[in-house]
Amino acid sequence: MSCFAVLLFCFSIREEQAARAVTSGEFLMSSNTFGKLFSVTTFGESHGPAIGCVIDGCPPGLEIAPEEFRHDLRRRATGLSRHTSARREKDEVEILSGVYEGVTTGTPIALLIRNTDARSKDYDNIAKQFRPGHADYSYWQKYGIRDPRGGGRSSARETTMRVAAAVIAKKWLAQRHGISVRGFLAQLGPIVPQGFDWNEVETNPFFWPCQAQVPELEAYMDMLRKSGDSVGARVNIVVDNVPPGWGEPVFGKLDGELAGALMGINAVKGVEIGDGFASVIQQGTMHRDEIRLEGFLSNHAGGVLGGISTGQQIRASIALKPTSSLRLPGRTVDVDGNEVGVVTKGRHDPCVGIRATPIAEAMAALVLIDQALRHRAQCADVEIMCPRIPRGEG
């Protein structure tokens, strides 16, 4: 076979792979897009002029206005308590396309938020150093260049647009299916809730479900901030009223996509669905969720079996690592290969988990609306199957 024939054959194979990727929704791109039918592409850097996203595949006819984004964006924002970064962004959403007279048109929705409180000079002294625990070194190895200002694209600032996109997803899910996506801080360092009340989650800056413990959390964070160190956290997500049948085996499982989406949040180092790693010490007689006509008797699986929703409450949990930007001296190397000391100045969260709840909610909502649209596309003609088991005690 001639060289030309070999090249032609390779090109045809590549073209065929690309065609399959396009038809399956697995586009060949640099992974800045999330979702298949409801897809979100984010852009922008922490200290650039603006951040934004383009949402493609949003169903038409959904009423949406700029002021509807404010609540969740404020929940995610820094600078609202002494326990988070002091950076204060306005986070005003500009809707550039896809909405006409307050209603989605079915065409791509472009959202833009301008950065108004970036302080890039804080990074001048470490622009050539790799901060330990950050993406500085890995970005440098991948791209051969990086934006050192606030972490650039790897900054949690990027998650603002995920939360913004999920405002639309949450509203559609609530209107069409009565679905609610909620989260709370389930552990802050060594502290765990000593009670639980959903009504208390939104009354404090920690998203903590036990108001009586808030003074303890504040004292712990004050001590941590004065020491210059940081700590990790755990956030739990629960989703109610998801119908049974959502999820695409075997490579589009609902729990698999939830795990991937939650793992894609900055600083997340672990994800659990249902009982997660607690399943290791459970016996099958305990873990299996027995079924009666009046409902499931437990929910150790977290509302998903075989990658498909059961109609039970969906439960997920994420573990977030301690913040790596510290004013305490550390050891690293620079871009020239020299061993150096590093001190990170500027405004940083002593615990990124404190404001991770709305971000985790957002990723869960984006997975669910995408799965809802995919289920509707393939299985709209499937009749409701009986028996229909209530969610039960789980």
Side-chain angles (χ1 to χ4, degrees), residues 82 219-229 327-328 350:
R82 66 181 185 275
Y220 180 80
M221 290 305 300
D222 287 342
M223 176 274 296
L224 194 69
R225 189 174 59 256
K226 289 176 183 177
S227 74
D229 216 331
R327 58 181 172 82
L328 301 175

Side-chain angles (χ1 to χ4, degrees), residues 115-165:
N115 291 327
T116 58
D117 191 30
R119 228 166 54 185
S120 301
K121 62 181 178 60
D122 290 340
Y123 298 88
D124 289 348
N125 64 320
I126 58 171
K128 292 188 176 182
Q129 297 175 347
F130 302 125
R131 294 169 297 170
H134 276 278
D136 298 348
Y137 176 74
S138 53
Y139 265 60
W140 181 261
Q141 290 296 324
K142 181 171 182 62
Y143 298 109
I145 188 174
R146 68 181 179 91
D147 183 348
R149 304 168 302 168
R153 185 83 173 129
S154 66
S155 168
R157 179 73 181 142
E158 180 270 339
T159 63
T160 308
M161 300 318 304
R162 308 190 200 187
V163 173

Side-chain angles (χ1 to χ4, degrees), residues 296-355:
F296 289 87
L297 302 185
S298 59
N299 189 14
H300 298 289
V304 185
L305 292 173
I308 302 173
S309 60
T310 63
Q312 295 173 273
Q313 187 179 75
I314 292 177
R315 300 175 182 172
S317 181
I318 59 174
L320 297 109
K321 69 174 185 176
T323 311
S324 298
S325 289
L326 304 173
R327 58 181 172 82
L328 301 175
R331 295 170 294 178
T332 189
V333 299
D334 60 23
V335 296
D336 298 315
N338 302 307
E339 292 186 349
V340 295
V342 61
V343 174
T344 305
K345 300 178 181 179
R347 303 165 292 178
H348 305 285
D349 295 271
C351 177
V352 293
I354 289 177
R355 56 191 181 94

Side-chain angles (χ1 to χ4, degrees), residues 72 75 163 166 170 173 179-187 193 196 198 201-202 206-207 209 233-242 254-255 257-259 261-263 265 268 270-276 299-304 312-320 353-368 391 394:
D72 269 5
R75 293 170 72 225
V163 173
K170 284 182 176 180
L173 289 167
I179 292 172
S180 68
V181 184
R182 298 180 290 178
F184 63 94
L185 191 63
Q187 186 169 351
F196 189 90
W198 273 119
V201 171
E202 297 292 332
F206 300 96
F207 299 97
R234 180 187 184 110
V235 171
N236 287 359
I237 297 297
V238 298
V239 186
D240 288 300
N241 300 323
V242 174
L254 178 58
D255 48 355
E257 294 198 350
L258 278 171
L262 293 171
M263 196 72 192
I265 298 172
V268 170
V271 177
E272 292 184 333
I273 306 295
D275 284 1
N299 189 14
H300 298 289
V304 185
Q312 295 173 273
Q313 187 179 75
I314 292 177
R315 300 175 182 172
S317 181
I318 59 174
L320 297 109
I354 289 177
R355 56 191 181 94
T357 294
I359 304 169
E361 291 175 359
M363 295 311 295
L366 293 176
V367 169
L368 287 167
R391 56 179 285 179

Side-chain angles (χ1 to χ4, degrees), residues 61-68 95 97-105:
L62 181 70
E63 293 184 358
I64 199 75
E67 55 267 22
E68 294 186 67
I95 303 176
S97 67
V99 177
Y100 178 68
E101 295 184 342
V103 178
T104 59
T105 63

